[in-house]
Amino acid sequence: MREEGVSYYLISSSDEHASEYVGDYDKTSLWLSGCSSDNVRILISQTKALLWTDGRYFISAAQELENSEYVLMKSGQTGVPSLCDYLDVSLKEGDCLAYDGRTFSYAEGLQYHNLAEKQGCELNNRFAPQDRLWIDRPNRASHPVIVLKEDLTGESYADKLSGVRAAMAAKGADQLILSKLDDIMWLLNIRGADIACNPVALSYFWLTDRGAFLFLQKSEITEELRTYAREQEITLEDYNETFEILSGRLADSAAKDPDSAMTGDQKPIKLMLDPRSSSDAMVSLAASCLGAENLILAANPTEMMKAVKNSVEISHIREVYLQDSVAVCRFIAYVKKHAREGNLTELSAARYLEGLRAELPGYLDLSFETICAYNANAAMAHYAPTKDDCARIEGRGFLLVDSGGQYLGGTTDVTRTICLGELTDSMREDFTTVAVSNLRLLFARFMEDCSGMVLDAIAREPLWERHKNFNHGTGHGIGYILNVHEGPQVIRWRDRIPEDRTSFVPGMITSDEPGMYIEGQYGIRTESITLCVEDCVNEYGRFLCFEPLTYVPIDLEGLKPEQMDASDIDKLNRYHKMVWEKISPFLKGEDLEWLKQATGPVCA
Amino acid sequence: MREEGVSYYLISSSDEHASEYVGDYDKTSLWLSGCSSDNVRILISQTKALLWTDGRYFISAAQELENSEYVLMKSGQTGVPSLCDYLDVSLKEGDCLAYDGRTFSYAEGLQYHNLAEKQGCELNNRFAPQDRLWIDRPNRASHPVIVLKEDLTGESYADKLSGVRAAMAAKGADQLILSKLDDIMWLLNIRGADIACNPVALSYFWLTDRGAFLFLQKSEITEELRTYAREQEITLEDYNETFEILSGRLADSAAKDPDSAMTGDQKPIKLMLDPRSSSDAMVSLAASCLGAENLILAANPTEMMKAVKNSVEISHIREVYLQDSVAVCRFIAYVKKHAREGNLTELSAARYLEGLRAELPGYLDLSFETICAYNANAAMAHYAPTKDDCARIEGRGFLLVDSGGQYLGGTTDVTRTICLGELTDSMREDFTTVAVSNLRLLFARFMEDCSGMVLDAIAREPLWERHKNFNHGTGHGIGYILNVHEGPQVIRWRDRIPEDRTSFVPGMITSDEPGMYIEGQYGIRTESITLCVEDCVNEYGRFLCFEPLTYVPIDLEGLKPEQMDASDIDKLNRYHKMVWEKISPFLKGEDLEWLKQATGPVCA
């Protein structure tokens, strides 16, 4: 920093593609700080090192940063300034704020540009000391890319492409650069394995009115892919040369557009980029080649198309969720039976569940690291056991298990909190409140045009009623054989970004996962995945509702029916009746016996 | 239009101050079309006349426009283009779009400017044929302005002014022009009577670093006001010369700022204006005097200060609402007793209620025209009976009464739907659903930072659950001895404008008024007014809730307890217990007897 005259150095936990989860090569923030959280921002000056992360990681980050120089900044907590607010008061005229523009989105970088300008500071967005100083940096992951057949995707690349071109035309765009990995995978009907649990390949996609260019690491290109690319008229380029190639060709396409040369009418090339997933570096490159005034900064047209699943995808998803639910049911029956013997640990339980999933047809991988957290460990919303740090499961309290799989047919995610013997009254109160919250949302009816903010209120009301809350959103979108967190819809009661106000549309897959976390004691979360469907159309308009995809009992041992309204008990019983009908054909013996009890009707 | 080459003439129902309700002088849209709705936009071409209004007025506007040339455009209905969308497809190159820039806000005018520019049209924002053609136009209203003492306002003009100056400084503004009438009244602790039911005086306020200027019609200035203005160092100017005076002085202040002349450092004057309440004409004037780059277009700093009531205001409001509730209770007892005799009409009932209010201490006026609507008439959300058009009240169905008063001590608003004998099962179902909706919101607990969108969901869920809806917001802010509709907070499930996302803050007064409207049959609305207060602070943060200000029973004859959850019945009984405790000391005889029955506990 001193060598390059940098006063403040900013580090992000993301990669060139604004990915939420990244490969080891891109874990600069972990290398620097030892903090393994996703969604980290680090700010380093000559005297201070500050690390911001969100509510999911407050407890684990505090443990990891103990005895380090880092100060943990808990985003969103009262009295904790945001990174921007902090910079706003700290930056002084003449300071230099520096970061690696490849690892920040353009939208985020713009905030720093504006702050620096306001304070009369220099901005250096090419500062990447990790490239030099990180001695034992792992290589970039590189795995062969596979091509999905149309019986899995339900829509060909060509059909998707014409939808994308129509959306581009509506915005007046001639060209498009996609940086977001899952958008590229979805559009091209391909999948990779470069980020653990996320079946994506490191890639860029460039679409012009003359051709389509897919940038991949050479080692990832199989013969199958080469053939497919030829058939689909996709030119394959080297991922490692993306910036060099684009810089030459973008400038080229701007200079001599054949059409305009012929007519003499030199219309500039308009290029579309998503400011949230295109890196600061990529937008800078595009602006320098084409002129900033010719960039159309707008959401990727693929985003909404990908979020609204088609009927082929939906029928695969229903089947995959059914089988995944069967595995989770068998797992719960197993844990219930063996927990009291004292031979289970968080890690062995997680491995057992992973084994059950691995036996299912089409299994590829986990969709995220299994969270199997016993009592106090579950108060950390994103805790995962390791060999060195793993609790023994005993016959009392809660075991929270949040897990999912990647299958050729869908991506699953489910959380159940398993009750093991002794529970205090307040544990049962909290468990019941979370169950009611989950069920209210699961059975909600709502009007078309309704945003996740409205839906969050429906889920959160039973908690607020008891002066409780949980420090994360109630729901996120889920990909199809893709990332377990997918936009644009979310269920949150406060806006972070305008996209948080996306209206729900039939075909969207979203989680319903309220929770409650008591630090040092226990954590509860009940998560079912839902499909948004049309409920009815009448004189008031169109009503939507959710179809459950997850069929796993909510543990009756944790419930206090006397705390529940009759209509909530009715919802619980309706859900459990569905679970019995869907799952019982796949179970037998003790598992079936357990399911019968676990889904039996509850009386007020 | 032909004389001046105008292709499209746009008329608004508003005045120079973006008022929701206007004086007779400003009712150009009524004069032109015969439509009495507020929130109207008219578009006239050589061949067509179109009139847009919102859901509150669909039925009444359709009646008023029957047999006219006007086509009613129901804003927000599926398939009905918005005015902007309509203009976007209709405007052709070379057309001229014209309107009176005094009667459109700058924010709205900007949309037309942009549309005209996009289509290559001319824009004329000084087209005001009403000034010439409206022969029997009424004069501008002009009533003496009164000064409120600090025992009513709780905060002096000087103290409010220093808050305003601090807010201006934070935005870098040297000067401020207020156009919004209730903001001016609030800041100066004065009241007028120029708009029926809205105790405001037609006025402008200009604040510079050297002085404060209040523009009023000369006939409104009393000796009391003159003395007050002298004490407070407010210069009084003539309202009718506002534009001339400002145009001279703004240009002047820009040219020779004494400070900057001395130092030689010519810093431009920065002027703050609210784009939503400053007219297109006012902003044009300011831009021409100071340069558009020196205008700071931002919300009036008075808006939030006015919305959050101080403790003196709150104690007056509590007392006024109590007395107003007593009047409404006596009214309901009277209607219940006399409806079956067949001598009551909507109008005579409304007059009776107005008489009860007029007897209360500090009574000034109604806060809006009383809505007293029997059965089918109540399906029009904003119906008001007139001598010529008024139903006889008989002993069956619903009488919806929405009314309020202006008092020295507060502005009230309350709706109750009175059950008169025979009700069908579905009438009782709907009535119960609306009651549950009202009670859920009234007893809601919610976290600080929560917007009206989240609160709307809590109120609307019981309706959506039954596939029902109502076509208006659930709540609006209310002024203090001011307008019955006051921003910025609202309770709506869909955004219209970004301000709709204002977070709730203790001290805000807001209505809670779900409803249900069955065209041709009946309308139901239950409206109580609430004060936002702190509920508790715990490890999750700060929880807020509502204190009811309205204490009037919800008619038990309309309720189906068997449709209600136990927790909703509990809310009903808790509310009615409060009503009994608050109101019974003020009633006697038959009224007291009625209240006892009307607030008795309901069993599940």
Side-chain angles (χ1 to χ4, degrees), chain A residues 121-134:
Chain A
C121 295
E122 195 190 329
L123 193 115
N124 172 354
N125 63 359
R126 291 158 170 268
F127 186 64
Q130 75 274 19
D131 292 349
R132 198 152 53 95
L133 301 177
W134 188 354

Side-chain angles (χ1 to χ4, degrees), chain A residues 324 328 357 401-404 412-416 527 529 550 552:
Chain A
D324 193 80
V328 176
R357 281 208 165 90
V401 185
D402 186 352
S403 65
T412 68
D413 185 4
V414 51
T415 309
R416 285 294 182 272
E527 176 187 31
I529 308 306
T550 304
V552 179

Side-chain angles (χ1 to χ4, degrees), chain A residues 170-401:
Chain A
K171 296 257 179 197
D174 307 300
Q175 302 192 357
L176 169 74
I177 292 177
L178 293 180
S179 294
K180 197 154 188 291
L181 301 180
D182 56 344
D183 281 35
I184 298 170
M185 299 300 112
W186 174 84
L187 173 60
L188 285 110
N189 289 332
I190 59 176
R191 296 294 185 271
D194 292 344
I195 298 179
C197 305
N198 293 255
V200 296
L202 292 168
S203 55
Y204 286 99
F205 183 71
W206 180 38
L207 185 64
T208 74
D209 44 1
R210 309 219 126 51
F213 303 85
L214 175 63
F215 296 80
L216 280 176
Q217 294 179 82
K218 283 185 172 162
S219 51
E220 304 204 338
I221 300 173
T222 62
E223 205 41 56
E224 179 201 26
L225 181 68
R226 206 177 293 280
T227 309
Y228 173 72
R230 202 177 312 117
E231 288 165 6
Q232 305 296 330
E233 303 183 343
I234 301 162
T235 309
L236 298 175
E237 302 282 1
D238 186 357
Y239 176 82
N240 292 309
E241 292 172 21
T242 307
F243 279 70
E244 291 77 354
I245 294 174
L246 278 177
S247 118
R249 301 225 193 123
L250 280 174
D252 233 38
S253 71
K256 36 174 192 186
D257 179 32
D259 281 352
S260 47
M262 253 189 289
T263 60
D265 177 19
Q266 280 290 352
K267 274 219 323 206
I269 295 288
K270 299 279 182 188
L271 170 68
M272 194 166 173
L273 294 149
D274 192 324
R276 302 161 305 163
S277 55
S278 303
S279 67
D280 194 26
M282 178 59 83
V283 176
S284 298
L285 170 76
S288 72
C289 294
L290 300 176
E293 70 283 7
N294 294 317
L295 304 187
I296 297 173
L297 298 171
N300 282 336
T302 39
E303 183 176 56
M304 267 304 270
M305 297 166 74
K306 172 172 66 91
V308 178
K309 271 60 180 173
N310 66 41
S311 61
V312 172
E313 290 172 327
I314 288 171
S315 77
H316 287 297
I317 289 169
R318 283 201 184 102
E319 181 59 28
V320 155
Y321 268 86
L322 187 61
Q323 293 305 326
D324 193 80
S325 295
V326 170
V328 176
C329 286
R330 290 175 59 200
F331 169 73
I332 294 176
Y334 174 85
V335 170
K336 286 270 191 187
K337 188 174 169 196
H338 294 285
R340 270 162 233 233
E341 299 164 5
N343 296 324
L344 278 179
T345 66
E346 292 168 333
L347 197 61
S348 71
R351 292 286 173 272
Y352 186 83
L353 175 56
E354 289 162 24
L356 291 170
R357 281 208 165 90
E359 290 168 14
L360 295 180
Y363 176 81
L364 298 170
D365 193 358
L366 300 179
S367 61
F368 56 97
E369 200 180 0
T370 300
I371 297 169
C372 183
Y374 187 52
N375 287 333
N377 287 341
M380 291 170 272
H382 272 215
Y383 166 88
T386 62
K387 248 189 305 180
D388 306 326
D389 187 6
C390 163
R392 179 164 301 282
I393 297 169
E394 290 160 354
R396 54 173 188 79
F398 293 131
L399 180 68
L400 185 159
V401 185

Side-chain angles (χ1 to χ4, degrees), chain B residues 11 39 63 96 112 165 180 196 212 263 267 269 340 346 390 399 404 425 488 516 538 597:
Chain B
I11 300 103
N39 196 19
Q63 290 176 354
C96 172
Y112 308 132
R165 287 204 191 274
K180 196 152 188 292
T263 61
K267 275 221 321 210
I269 295 289
R340 270 163 231 231
E346 292 168 333
C390 163
L399 179 69
D425 202 52
M516 216 184 292
N538 65 16
Q597 292 207 344

Side-chain angles (χ1 to χ4, degrees), chain A residues 1-7 96 98 122 124 126-129 132:
Chain A
M1 287 171 63
R2 272 193 301 268
E3 268 170 35
E4 302 206 25
V6 168
S7 333
C96 171
E122 195 190 329
N124 172 354
R126 291 158 170 268
F127 186 64
R132 198 152 53 95

